Amino acid sequence: MSTFQTIDDLPADSRVLVRLDLNSPIEDGEPQDNRRFERHARTVRDLADAGHRVVLVAHQGRPGRDDFTSLAGHAGILADHVGRDVEFVADTHGEEALAAIEALAAGDVLLLENTRMCDDELPEASPAEKADTEFVRTLAPRFDAYVNDAYSAAHRRHASLVGFPVALPAYAGRVMATEYEANTAIARREFDGPVTMVVGGTKATDVIGVMDALGDRVDRFLLGGVAGELFLRAAGHPVGRDLEGMDLFDEQWEANRDTVEAILEERGDAIRLASDLAYEGADGDRAEVPVADVDEKTDAYLDVGSDTVADYDAPIRESDAVFVKGALGVFEDERFADGTVGVLEAIAETDCFSVVGGGDTSRAIGMYGLDEDDFSHVSIAGGAYIRALTGEPLPAIELLRKADDGGT
Ligand SMILES: Nc1ncnc2c1ncn2[C@@H]1O[C@H](COP(=O)(O)OP(=O)(O)OP(=O)(O)O)[C@@H](O)[C@H]1O
Ligand SMILES: O=C(O)[C@H](O)COP(=O)(O)O
């Protein structure tokens, strides 16, 4: 039995309310196209092609932040990916929204306004409390079913994520089902051979928490990025100097020092640290230094070095599964992309099960001409991916699961 009821199980001619995650980078006030649109388009297209009436809800940013804006621009980008019109109404659940929902014909697609513009959406609360908000009580009776495709927001207990599945029969969309299967594979430990995790990026506290929680479900951790330098510090090397204007190292070092030292002590054999690092030399070019030669914290290291890339190659090729969380360097700058790209290339060349997660890190695949099809799964989730890796239940997903068990 599959974990969820999916959109393939929907009764014919349903009126469906569909939660997507279209949260995107905003530049000059406009949403920027990204993988989320492309992935969700498949769910929307399949629902519309099946003749359902499709109403979409999604969020953008948070009140008080620069990226908190209307979904008007998102509708056009989504329409291009779906290959159908996506009507937009600048209302979440008022008269205008209700009239537009009422007017839909079979196969029509309508996007409502940013859910976070509705006061009932954000404060986190229990599913029962969220189901009892005016937002959910007003919209739910207009639909036959609720579809959750917003895997990457499933760690939030917001009305559109946990309220509607209490009020309506709930189904998983294509993105939800695919992301769930791939990202929980490591927690379910469904591999016979070695499992490797590549750990990097700037959110050291998050990834160190994952390393701690995963314990021996992972055989080898290959480290880089900020987390990697914190482990090198714990091993006695004076690294971890911030670029001007950043505070990535000292605070995260204080917060994680005990955990890092404990992991090194307990799982030292499983941890591979960089043997060399790259920095910006006096002439502006990439320069490298063996970690053993670093005796003063004078340079900001922006990538792992070429010996490290070579060291990480064999463990990747010997693995049954490789999970990536975070970049090994500042790959946005071509001079410091070797670590991230080298590791991704090695993974792409093997036929192991591979998952690349994190919005930033997965951008490197397109930037450096790698083929997404060479990876088993490229996740569009950030916080939800981190939690899924360790098997932590995500509230919105638990509700879909209960629906499959016949509960509410
Ligand atoms: N040594 C370093 N110093 C500063 N930044 C670094 C370093 N190594 C990697 N990075 C940065 O880490 C970023 C990617 O990691 P991040 O922790 O943001 O995670 P992500 O998992 O890709 O994304 P998200 O969690 O935001 O979806 C890249 O943008 C890269 O520039
Ligand atoms: O972009 C994301 O990671 C998700 O949409 C969750 O957004 P949030 O962190 O603002 O809740």
Side-chain angles (χ1 to χ4, degrees):
M1 192 180 72
S2 73
T3 314
F4 314 115
Q5 294 201 86
T6 73
I7 57 175
D8 298 322
D9 303 310
L10 278 166
D13 304 321
S14 288
R15 292 169 303 148
V16 285
L17 181 69
V18 187
R19 178 54 156 104
L20 307 180
D21 185 358
L22 300 177
N23 199 28
S24 302
I26 301 290
E27 280 173 29
D28 300 324
E30 292 300 324
Q32 302 301 300
D33 196 358
N34 64 81
R35 272 196 188 82
R36 287 185 172 170
F37 288 96
E38 182 195 314
R39 297 277 178 88
H40 285 304
R42 196 176 148 219
T43 303
V44 176
R45 194 181 315 113
D46 286 356
L47 286 167
D49 286 353
H52 302 299
R53 290 167 172 76
V54 185
V55 177
L56 310 172
V57 288
H59 72 277
Q60 173 61 56
R62 276 181 184 251
R65 293 209 197 141
D66 289 349
D67 64 349
F68 181 58
T69 180
S70 166
L71 296 187
H74 299 62
I77 301 176
L78 186 62
D80 288 344
H81 285 285
V82 177
R84 279 179 179 260
D85 286 344
V86 174
E87 191 192 338
F88 171 73
V89 58
D91 186 14
T92 55
H93 64 297
E95 303 267 306
E96 218 188 319
L98 300 184
I101 294 168
E102 193 57 42
L104 289 179
D108 282 354
V109 182
L110 167 72
L111 174 65
L112 301 181
E113 184 54 288
N114 186 347
T115 52
R116 292 184 180 176
M117 291 187 177
C118 163
D119 291 343
D120 289 336
E121 171 71 347
L122 270 185
E124 297 219 70
S126 70
E129 285 169 286
K130 285 305 193 184
D132 197 29
T133 56
E134 194 190 309
F135 179 38
V136 175
R137 280 191 283 109
T138 306
L139 283 186
R142 265 91 187 161
F143 295 93
D144 303 309
Y146 166 78
V147 172
N148 192 345
D149 211 27
Y151 176 86
S152 45
H155 51 309
R156 307 289 185 214
R157 293 184 308 147
H158 297 156
S160 63
L161 293 155
V162 299
F164 289 111
V166 173
L168 286 165
Y171 299 79
R174 302 279 184 234
V175 173
M176 174 63 78
T178 313
E179 289 269 359
Y180 177 83
E181 282 305 316
N183 301 342
T184 52
I186 194 170
R188 288 185 266 121
R189 182 69 213 218
E190 49 185 37
F191 309 100
D192 296 331
V195 173
T196 296
M197 188 164 177
V198 178
V199 178
T202 52
K203 294 167 197 138
T205 299
D206 285 352
V207 293
I208 290 165
V210 170
M211 291 173 71
D212 195 28
L214 278 172
D216 55 16
R217 279 174 290 180
V218 170
D219 302 291
R220 277 179 302 231
F221 292 97
L222 310 180
L223 275 91
V226 174
E229 286 187 58
L230 296 187
F231 274 80
L232 285 171
R233 253 202 213 185
H237 302 285
V239 298
R241 180 172 185 268
D242 269 305
L243 278 178
E244 200 148 313
M246 289 182 134
D247 184 12
L248 292 171
F249 288 98
D250 289 342
E251 214 174 282
Q252 300 203 84
W253 169 247
E254 288 313 321
N256 295 293
R257 182 186 184 147
D258 293 347
T259 315
V260 169
E261 286 172 352
I263 294 176
L264 265 185
E265 175 144 351
E266 283 159 30
R267 304 247 27 234
D269 289 352
I271 311 276
R272 298 274 180 98
L273 300 178
S275 56
D276 57 352
L277 292 165
Y279 60 101
E280 183 175 35
D283 55 2
D285 284 351
R286 175 186 172 104
E288 297 194 354
V289 60
V291 169
D293 292 353
V294 177
D295 48 19
E296 242 186 301
K297 207 162 57 161
T298 46
D299 291 296
Y301 297 111
L302 302 175
D303 194 9
V304 297
S306 37
D307 287 348
T308 306
V309 179
D311 291 345
Y312 287 177
D313 194 73
I316 287 171
R317 288 176 200 276
E318 288 158 10
S319 295
D320 252 27
V322 182
F323 290 77
V324 179
K325 175 62 183 119
L328 295 191
V330 182
F331 68 84
E332 294 86 345
D333 181 332
E334 222 173 305
R335 295 171 300 170
F336 303 110
D338 294 9
T340 307
V341 176
V343 158
L344 289 174
E345 278 172 353
I347 298 170
E349 282 166 19
T350 68
D351 55 8
C352 70
F353 179 79
S354 58
V355 181
V356 180
D360 285 317
T361 308
S362 52
R363 265 192 308 128
I365 293 175
M367 272 179 81
Y368 292 97
L370 291 153
D371 185 348
E372 196 168 318
D373 291 342
D374 288 333
F375 303 89
S376 310
H377 181 62
V378 177
S379 176
I380 52 172
Y385 176 66
I386 281 276
R387 287 166 176 79
L389 286 177
T390 62
E392 186 182 321
L394 305 178
I397 294 180
E398 291 306 293
L399 289 157
L400 293 182
R401 214 204 280 279
K402 278 188 194 153
D404 198 26
D405 293 343
T408 48

